[in-house]
Amino acid sequence: MSTFVYFKSSDRTKLGVDYMQFGNTGIEGAERLSTLGQAPDFQLFLCSSIMQTVQVEYSGQIQVNTGKNPRELYAHQNEAIKALDQKNKLPFEGLLVLPTGGGKTLTAVHWLLRNFIDKRKKVLWIAHRHELLDQALETLKFSAYSSLLNDIEKFRYRVISGHPKHDRPVNIKPTDDIIIASKDSLNSGLDYLINNWVKHSDTILLVVDEAHHATAKTYRKLIDSIKQNFKDRGRTDGFRMLGLTATPFRTDKGEQGLLKKVFPDDIIFSEHLRTLITRGILAEPIFENLETELDFYRELTDKDIKAIENFDKLPTKIAERIAMSSIRNKRIVDCYIENREKYKPLLVFAVDVQHAIELNGLFKNRDIHSDFIVAKIIDEKTGATVSPKENSEKIKRFRAGELEVLINVEMLVEGTDLPNVQTVFLTRPTTSTILMTQMIGRGLRGQTAGGTEKAYVVSFIDNWEDKINWVNPEKLIDIPGVEFVDRDIETMKRIARLISIEKIEEFARMMDDSIDTTVLEKLDFLKRVPVGIYRFSILEPSEFDEPVSRNYDVLLYSDTEEAYDSFVNDLEAIFKSIDIENREILTEEELKYLLELTKELYFPDYPFLLGYRDADVENILRFYAQKQMEPEFIAFSERRKCDVSIVARHIYENDLTLKQVTEYLTSLWNDSKSFWQVLFGYNYLYFKKQVDIEINKLIGAYPDLIVTPPIIIPDTVPLESLSLIGIREKDPAEYRDIKDAVFAKYTDAKGFITCAISGFKSQMRRDFQVDHIIPMSKGGLTTLENLQVLSRKAHAEKTRLENLKR
């Protein structure tokens, strides 16, 4: 591994000491490279070093805890395991069917740990969304006890998907005991799965999560490839497949029987919704209807009606009218306000993104803490996307009670556990029995399972039943055998709606200043830690005519770091658009112009970026006007150590006295090399309270929390095997050094950056992206030799062609 470090020539003397001390970090020497045509102001140093390695969370070993698993199963789950034990005497391909909230994942994990992992047999768990993969891994971690695993002390896992925090198929190893992966990633790296893992396995259990999707071509390709490998090796008796679903039926008449073809052994075990309600595991649903008395159906043509009945898809014009209907939306919000104590917390299923935005605005105007989540939002002009992290953080806030209302579009129908939901609002009409079942199921966590005795399902029906046979939610429980009939659901691909990000209003930012509340035990603190900071000072006028120096900090998060980096590197070019002559102070008009230019070029999605502030951009612009230099960037290289749970554990395990605790916390707070003060807004009491909350967790003050964490031994891998985003998460300073080195390689003496494919030239870094020459999916590494600079257009075209090859 090599570390690439860029220094401006003017900074070389100041930073020379640090450079000479690289040996303390394992770097044995440094070799100066040729200039490679870069700008004369820069010098590139290649610091040859011992291979740098980092720990990763997407693969490693789970150590088996001694004792009985604290997660005891319900009677129906134990019955399911007995049925699976009986079926497993011979090869099988069948389904486990439990209603939403019935514990499909936990049941399957308990069974496979005892029958496969403990017997050193392989397991492949596949799903279609990365959130389901994370849920499966968490269940696996917290179920690894010797009561289920008698013969092994630890086992290996690997999580694979297209998400930056997960691994890639190219890294699959024969020693992996369980692989948890998205079906799309495995299909794109199918050769690695087969050659590196399947062909080395005598027995494999394939678990298909949300198995009603398994009739899709991508699922069938993956399943057939694995089965064919076993057949080619004469080991057909070594393949087993278990599908997990709450809705094993399809409604498209043209697909009758397809699910049975994928799972020929049919349903191995199922439990009725009514049984779990009777046992208190699921809540008793109370159905209520609110007639909106709006006649949207009058605009429907015969073609529209047929499309709705076949695909459960509202015509765009009707969806837009519903979304923008102020009368209908007001009635929905009024209904909640009038029944607030009875209905909260509330989960709303909206028609589309615009509808979610409108409802969210109305709830907030009534002083209701609400927010919304969507499958995907893409800006048509810039191609920028809203980070998936925002959705997961909002779900956490809803679980923690910080949000009273959560509005969602095509998100919370599968796999997401929301035990605190009291009421579900169905504001979107549907003809799909499966969609209706999944929407209602989100609110049915019963008292025995930590939920409520009753749950409200409020349906907002408009006057068009005479045109279309919409699903009546009251029939959900009373349809005989509805959960168990193979009637096959529609295979409709849901295309992400392309909308303009600028049109979204009142989208709640991720910045959370509730650190002094009582629900922090459910807050994932580390995710709010910045990746770095710009620190600088500006001379400002004072009332005594003598300028005073004022310090400024600009915090950078994962969402904003890339944009800020391009912005700061392009400051010289940006200032060419105005002429400030010999002045150091920008006029108000100039500052406003530069701010708007910067937002347009670098922060087009600024309303949705964690911690973004116009004032931060203005301060950097003012600083550059005075100093004609970039502000100093300080990376949070120890970011992962900025976790108050580590501080709390030190206090708890060492049994410190009150005086010792005070001295210890004070020393941490005043340590000039740490960032505690910045993280907590220079408020020591916030820091102290967060530590207290973490200590309370350790002493068991929160009985609903599992105090004893699983013992995970993460894999250690070469840093260069991570993506650039992965390196940024582990070491922000290293990430910036590598990126700077790549740009320098493609920058000429005049400061022009050249696209490696098209030859396009520009002095603006924002016009380019760093790209792997050999894709990481094919084994390419994040090294200078394998990185190039492409224009955004060339990068998009290269990606398109690579996807076509797949």
Side-chain angles (χ1 to χ4, degrees), residues 728-748:
R728 182 178 66 185
E729 288 296 313
K730 296 291 182 181
D731 189 343
E734 178 75 5
Y735 159 77
R736 293 173 70 91
D737 291 341
I738 293 174
K739 189 171 65 173
D740 286 346
V742 178
F743 270 103
K745 183 177 177 181
Y746 290 89
T747 302
D748 62 23

Side-chain angles (χ1 to χ4, degrees), residues 400 402 514-522 689 693 702:
E402 297 173 48
S514 60
I515 200 164
D516 58 345
T517 64
T518 57
V519 295
L520 280 179
E521 68 274 12
K522 297 188 178 180
K689 182 166 185 178
I693 290 173
Y702 304 101

Side-chain angles (χ1 to χ4, degrees), residues 65-76:
N65 283 319
T66 302
K68 185 179 180 181
N69 194 320
R71 288 185 166 187
E72 295 189 8
L73 300 183
Y74 296 112
H76 72 278

